[in-house]
Amino acid sequence: MAYETILFERHDGVVTITLNRPETLNAFNDTMIRETTDAFKQCGKDPAVRCAILTGAGRGFSSGQDLADVQKRGDEFSIAEHLRQGYHRLILEMVRLEKPIIAAINGVAAGAGFGIALATDIRIASDKASFILAFSRVGLIPDSGTNWFLPRLIGQGRAYELAITADRLPADQALAWGVVNRVVPHDELMPTVQEFAARLAQGASLAYGLTKRTMYRAWEQSLEEALGYEAYMQETAARSHDYREGVQAFLEKRAPRFQGR
Ligand code: T3D
């Protein structure tokens, strides 16, 4: 895959997408927003892809919107339109991808970079990582889904404080608050994430995807609706090869050979 601002590598069912503008700590310009969106779209289209990793090149994960680009905008420029056409498409592509996305958070995730990290499914951070809702430093409100994701993870009081102070949330605090699933020594980040992704790529991928869809759907449902949707999705899972294989493997006391269908 030939991209200008990201790297796209596939290995044994695992795609690694690397945000690759290290001189800006991987700030998002329009090309990088578009290319990252396209990369996740490709992950969805390719049945051989069963797990995706998102990380950053160099010492940052992403510093958010490229502020040098902001300087070039004219009076007619609409940020709302930019969000709708850019970040929103990227975030929805990630959330709708019915395959697990693991963020390997190698350094600072600021502004929209924090939002994109939150749109992944499992976040594993280096002990050098940190998170900043940098928006208020430049006079903006949080965007890129942070108002939706963050209060759900850490509660509104903490999220609001991070928004208005733009204070740095270090990795250990992010772990304590549930922003990340685990923190590992910096040098162990990629090996840890790659090993985990390889394990997921061998798993019951169809069920993983349906679980993601069902959990997101449950946020906007009553208990009664959520139970109904669960039953519907379970019917789909139960009709799969993987379910038959999983039960058979259990009874035969062997490891299952899941195919993601
Ligand atoms: O469409 C829309 O506009 C709406 C969407 C908005 C979404 C947003 O993301 S708004 C928030 C934008 N992001 C920020 O405000 C963060 C800006 N960056 C920082 O505050 C700091 O760089 C960090 C706290 C993230 C890291 O600090 P530090 O000291 O580790 O690194 P640094 O020296 O500040 O940055 C290193 C280089 O990256 C530096 O370039 P240089 O001096 O080496 O040539 C710096 O200018 C560049 N850089 C960092 N962030 C950005 C950036 N260049 C462009 N855009 C950036 N966001």
Side-chain angles (χ1 to χ4, degrees):
M1 214 70 61
Y3 291 120
E4 196 184 304
T5 60
I6 62 170
L7 305 175
F8 185 97
E9 294 153 290
R10 204 185 93 186
H11 180 67
D12 284 348
V14 177
V15 159
T16 302
I17 300 166
T18 306
L19 306 172
N20 192 28
R21 303 186 69 225
E23 66 287 356
T24 63
L25 304 179
N26 305 313
F28 278 94
N29 61 12
D30 289 354
T31 308
M32 195 163 90
I33 299 172
R34 197 171 52 248
E35 290 187 343
T36 313
T37 309
D38 185 73
F40 281 113
K41 196 172 283 178
Q42 298 309 322
C43 292
K45 281 186 188 162
D46 185 346
V49 175
R50 294 171 71 176
C51 183
I53 297 171
L54 181 66
T55 192
R59 71 178 176 89
F61 177 77
S62 169
S63 59
Q65 171 63 38
D66 189 318
L67 295 176
D69 279 6
V70 167
Q71 285 273 292
K72 298 173 199 153
R73 294 171 177 173
D75 290 344
E76 299 304 304
F77 185 88
S78 161
I79 280 201
E81 205 45 30
H82 188 245
L83 289 170
R84 282 194 281 267
Q85 298 302 324
Y87 292 106
H88 295 189
R89 290 184 178 184
L90 169 56
I91 289 160
L92 292 175
E93 196 66 49
M94 293 170 72
V95 165
R96 289 174 184 158
L97 177 65
E98 294 199 350
K99 300 175 184 184
I101 305 172
I102 309 173
I105 303 167
N106 52 304
V108 67
F114 194 172
I116 300 307
L118 293 173
T120 64
D121 303 306
I122 293 167
R123 289 168 287 281
I124 301 183
S126 143
D127 54 6
K128 292 187 179 170
S130 61
F131 301 85
I132 310 175
L133 280 183
F135 306 88
S136 64
R137 290 188 185 178
V138 292
L140 290 179
I141 69 155
D143 63 26
S144 309
T146 48
N147 294 300
W148 195 88
F149 291 111
L150 203 55
R152 282 170 163 78
L153 281 173
I154 67 174
Q156 184 160 340
R158 287 167 172 168
Y160 185 65
E161 185 179 340
L162 287 179
I164 62 173
T165 60
D167 282 347
R168 193 184 286 262
L169 180 69
D172 55 349
Q173 191 66 53
L175 179 65
W177 285 3
V179 174
V180 298
N181 297 58
R182 65 194 84 128
V183 176
V184 296
H186 187 73
D187 291 345
E188 291 171 26
L189 179 66
M190 286 319 287
T192 303
V193 170
Q194 282 158 351
E195 193 183 323
F196 188 39
R199 177 181 145 199
L200 294 184
Q202 298 297 313
S205 307
L206 179 75
Y208 296 170
L210 297 178
T211 304
K212 179 168 169 177
R213 193 200 307 184
T214 307
M215 283 191 174
Y216 267 113
R217 186 69 68 97
W219 282 115
E220 55 202 56
Q221 289 173 319
S222 66
L223 174 60
E224 207 173 12
E225 289 165 338
L227 289 170
Y229 196 69
E230 254 175 32
Y232 170 56
M233 284 293 106
Q234 194 66 297
E235 189 74 46
T236 308
R239 290 177 192 280
S240 67
H241 160 276
D242 284 354
Y243 177 53
R244 286 193 301 280
E245 165 64 8
V247 172
Q248 198 169 335
F250 175 79
L251 295 173
E252 292 172 5
K253 299 190 187 307
R254 61 169 174 82
R257 290 181 290 269
F258 292 122
Q259 295 180 6
R261 63 179 177 87

